[in-house]
């Protein structure tokens, strides 16, 4: 459920939203009134549905990032200038209905079998399911087919999408907002609470709940063997929302210690230097032969796994296996590779004879 | 699936093992030959089962930790003297059968609905399920009822229990070894690989696989709201397998940085000073009003949640809410409490207007 991923990956599929926020003009379904674009909000006010979200947003991030007025082929989502501020608008006073529920659901690694029973039940109980198109595609058809409405948007727009989910809940719908992994790991659970607060609403009013999922670090660790059984740090290399100097400071702090490291969002075309800088910092403190595991698209159709060492890692930045869907696991000084698995001893060997 | 938990918590329930390693004399079932105690190994050799594990272990940790020759009421498991070395024994040469499979399965937070579909399927497919009694109790009855055998042992003995699982796999059985949370988080996936290696076997020979689960940090984070959406460190305060000076060094390194912190194994009667030392170190670098979330027994019947601040945390060490089933989440400098939730901003507020 990496939000950086939603802003920067180029893998957005083109599944069409059933809701008004679709960038396609053919979207005429009236199930959902909420819309992130003014044109479609106007359309939606003609529907007879009484359980629709309000929309006062003049400019959706989707229109900035998808088929938009931006003539450049690169998305503006990842840009750090203040030009990309999204304005989101409706407040609690805009809604007359008793609020519905809002649940942030983690889908886990990317296949239905990686979802928990609780996550499936939360989605089955939801009237509306909201998410990035790639994540919505991970939800089993038997669940999406039964939902009253699916609101999916292509990459970018996590702020307006999250507000859309909140508006639908405030308008009386039971809403699930979904993402891969866990809602607490570089993901939308916090943003949902921040936007709820900004609207003058409380989390309690929508029975806000988080349904945890298996994070990418665990999905990837499992694929590699047992690299993460001791103290571990997760670090995102995206400087979209965290300044690079802070990321560097964190890497300098943890690299000399015995932590294993799970690196999220290691690479994008726009900031390849972050990956190189990360490698340099780790190599200042750790041996070149420190084992490193690379997992691309864990549990997805394009999954690829590669075990290498820290000295070799920098030259792999340009390889296909490292992109925004990749998680990299860096071992500590005790980690070793055996039978194509990464093993970080827990310390039993110091106490037990086996 | 915290292994420290298995060694030090006092909450072991008394579910009886169906296998020879039960500490109860009434265990006469012949389904499984493997046994961690010499007496029961002798019994088991009389069975007609041809798919049994070898047992050459003279001394089980169960007999040290349960009804044992130790007249003290406190378990010896957590002691760090070399007296507690467990000896484990059989090597690959002791088995004639073609090996079965060995799968380390993470059960997630502690209720069947927190398990993934993949975990349930792995357990349903396993012939033998091996685990600490408390964790076996978390497996749905419809799964345990269908298994050929369940090998559960009370607290302690994770080394001999893991070897038991391996021996059963090497003897030709499809075996699942289970724990709560994720097999990669302070858990047995690494130990299983280490013991396999020590036996002269390979991970490939038993198709060793890890089925990830939702770790305690995520289960607890979800209960608290959204405390972990940025870079995060997990640290265990148990010095059973990691020297306390290393733990202190790690805490000193990460406390001044912007990490949120998930503290595992925060407390036991035998090492209350580790908790106090951790609080002192964090308070050297972070404000007293830094939000702290405490979750005891996430998703279990005795779940309890409390949000406090770092300045208050030290005095809570003696409270019931903090024990070895507790995970503590310490916020970073941006974390705040709103509507009884912990929120760590992801950074959107620096880019978006909401």
């Amino acid at each position: 459920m990496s939000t950086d991923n939603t802003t920067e990956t180029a893998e957005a599929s083109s599944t069409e939203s059933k809701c008004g926020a679709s960038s396609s003009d053919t979207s005429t379904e009236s199930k959902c009134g909420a819309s992130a674009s003014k044109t479609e909000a106007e359309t939606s006010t003609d529907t007879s549905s009484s359980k629709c979200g309000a929309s006062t947003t003049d400019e959706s991030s989707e229109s900035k990032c998808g088929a938009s007025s931006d003539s450049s082929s690169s998305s503006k989502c990842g840009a750090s200038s203040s030009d990309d501020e999204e304005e989101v608008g409706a407040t609690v006073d805009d809604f007359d209905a008793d609020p519905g529920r809002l649940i942030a659901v983690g889908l886990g690694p990317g296949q239905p079998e990686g979802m928990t029973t609780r996550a499936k039940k939360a989605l089955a109980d939801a009237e509306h399911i909201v998410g990035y198109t790639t994540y919505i595609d991970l939800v089993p058809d038997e669940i999406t087919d039964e939902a009253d409405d699916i609101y999916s948007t292509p990459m970018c727009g996590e702020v307006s999408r999250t507000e859309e989910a909140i508006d639908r809940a405030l308008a009386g719908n039971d809403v699930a907002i979904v993402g891969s992994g866990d809602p607490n790991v570089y993901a939308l659970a916090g943003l949902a609470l921040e936007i709820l607060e900004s609207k003058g609403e409380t989390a309690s009013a929508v029975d806000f709940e988080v349904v945890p999922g298996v994070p990418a670090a665990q999905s990837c660790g499992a694929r590699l063997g047992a690299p993460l059984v001791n103290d571990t740090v997760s670090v995102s290399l995206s400087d979209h929302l965290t300044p690079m100097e802070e990321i560097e400071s964190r890497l300098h702090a943890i690299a000399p210690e015995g932590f294993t490291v799970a690196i999220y969002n290691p690479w994008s075309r726009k900031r390849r230097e972050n990956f190189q800088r990360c490698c340099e910092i780790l190599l200042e403190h750790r041996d070149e032969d420190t084992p490193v595991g690379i997992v691309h698209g864990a549990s997805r159709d394009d999954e690829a796994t590669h075990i290498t060492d820290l000295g070799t890692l920098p030259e792999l930045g340009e390889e296909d296996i490292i992109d925004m869907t990749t998680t990299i696991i860096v071992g500590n000084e005790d980690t070793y590779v055996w039978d194509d698995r990464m093993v970080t001893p827990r310390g039993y060997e110091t106490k037990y004879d086996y």
Side-chain angles (χ1 to χ4, degrees), chain A:
Chain A
M1 206 169 184
S2 160
T3 50
D4 295 324
N5 193 1
T6 67
T7 59
E8 302 192 19
T9 179
E11 66 162 22
S13 66
S14 58
T15 301
E16 193 164 303
S17 167
K18 290 165 69 180
C19 186
S22 167
S23 59
S24 161
D25 291 334
T26 62
S27 171
T28 56
E29 296 211 18
S30 60
K31 274 187 182 172
C32 58
S35 170
S37 76
K38 184 181 265 180
T39 307
E40 288 161 8
E42 287 165 356
T43 304
S44 72
T45 58
D46 295 331
T47 70
S48 59
S49 167
S50 61
K51 292 176 74 175
C52 56
S55 175
T56 59
T57 306
D58 288 336
E59 190 173 36
S60 76
S61 65
E62 282 72 25
S63 66
K64 280 188 181 172
C65 304
S68 73
S69 58
D70 179 11
S71 61
S72 148
S73 64
S74 77
S75 160
K76 288 169 73 177
C77 302
S80 58
S81 77
S82 58
D83 291 345
D84 336 71
E85 279 202 354
E86 289 181 40
E87 291 175 41
V88 293
T91 71
V92 64
D93 297 330
D94 296 314
F95 301 94
D96 295 328
D98 290 334
R101 302 188 66 197
L102 179 64
I103 305 186
V105 179
L107 301 178
Q111 295 293 343
E113 70 169 4
M115 292 173 63
T116 67
T117 304
R118 188 174 163 213
K120 286 184 178 171
K121 186 171 183 307
L123 293 175
D125 289 346
E127 294 165 341
H128 293 202
I129 301 176
V130 175
Y132 171 39
T133 306
T134 299
Y135 299 153
I136 291 286
D137 288 347
L138 300 176
V139 179
D141 289 345
E142 63 263 29
I143 292 176
T144 52
D145 289 348
E146 290 298 312
D148 288 349
D149 193 43
I150 306 294
Y151 178 87
S152 66
T153 60
M155 64 176 175
C156 310
E158 62 271 27
V159 172
S160 62
R161 188 166 59 238
T162 304
E163 192 193 16
E164 177 71 30
I166 290 168
D167 285 351
R168 286 168 181 239
L170 293 177
N173 304 288
D174 290 339
V175 179
I177 184 163
V178 303
S180 66
D182 179 76
N184 245 305
V185 178
Y186 306 113
L188 296 178
L191 183 61
L193 289 172
E194 290 178 72
I195 295 179
L196 268 169
E197 185 180 9
S198 77
K199 287 179 178 290
E201 194 46 274
T202 64
S204 309
V206 293
D207 288 338
F208 179 75
E209 192 179 340
V210 177
V211 175
V214 176
Q218 269 55 54
S219 300
C220 298
R223 278 288 187 261
L224 295 165
L228 295 175
V229 295
N230 265 333
D231 293 346
T232 295
V233 175
S234 65
V235 176
S236 167
L237 297 191
S238 170
D239 57 3
H240 178 49
L241 299 171
T242 303
M244 190 59 199
E245 53 267 35
E246 286 187 29
I247 298 170
E248 290 191 21
S249 177
R250 293 172 193 176
L251 289 167
H252 273 298
I254 57 96
E257 302 293 330
F259 295 107
T260 49
V261 188
I263 300 173
Y264 283 74
N265 306 309
W267 179 262
S268 79
R269 280 168 303 162
K270 283 176 296 185
R271 48 174 183 70
R272 57 182 66 191
E273 66 279 7
N274 295 11
F275 175 79
Q276 297 302 332
R277 190 74 195 104
C278 171
C279 293
E280 288 167 11
I281 294 171
L282 292 174
L283 280 164
E284 284 180 37
H285 304 282
R286 298 193 180 191
D287 288 346
E288 287 194 348
D289 60 359
T290 303
V292 171
I294 304 170
V295 182
H296 175 275
S299 295
R300 301 192 194 174
D301 293 340
D302 59 348
E303 178 179 298
T305 300
H306 180 60
I307 295 179
T308 182
D309 58 48
L310 195 54
T312 308
L313 186 61
E315 66 197 60
L316 299 179
E318 300 285 348
E319 302 291 324
D320 289 343
I321 198 172
I322 298 185
D323 64 19
M324 290 298 287
T325 72
T326 302
T327 303
I328 298 174
I329 309 286
V330 180
N332 65 19
E333 64 180 356
D334 298 321
T335 304
Y336 62 94
V337 178
W338 172 72
D339 194 22
D340 289 332
R341 270 86 171 175
M342 278 176 76
V343 184
T344 300
R346 177 81 182 90
Y348 290 103
E349 77 283 1
T350 64
K351 292 278 175 64
Y352 301 92
D353 180 22
Y354 52 84

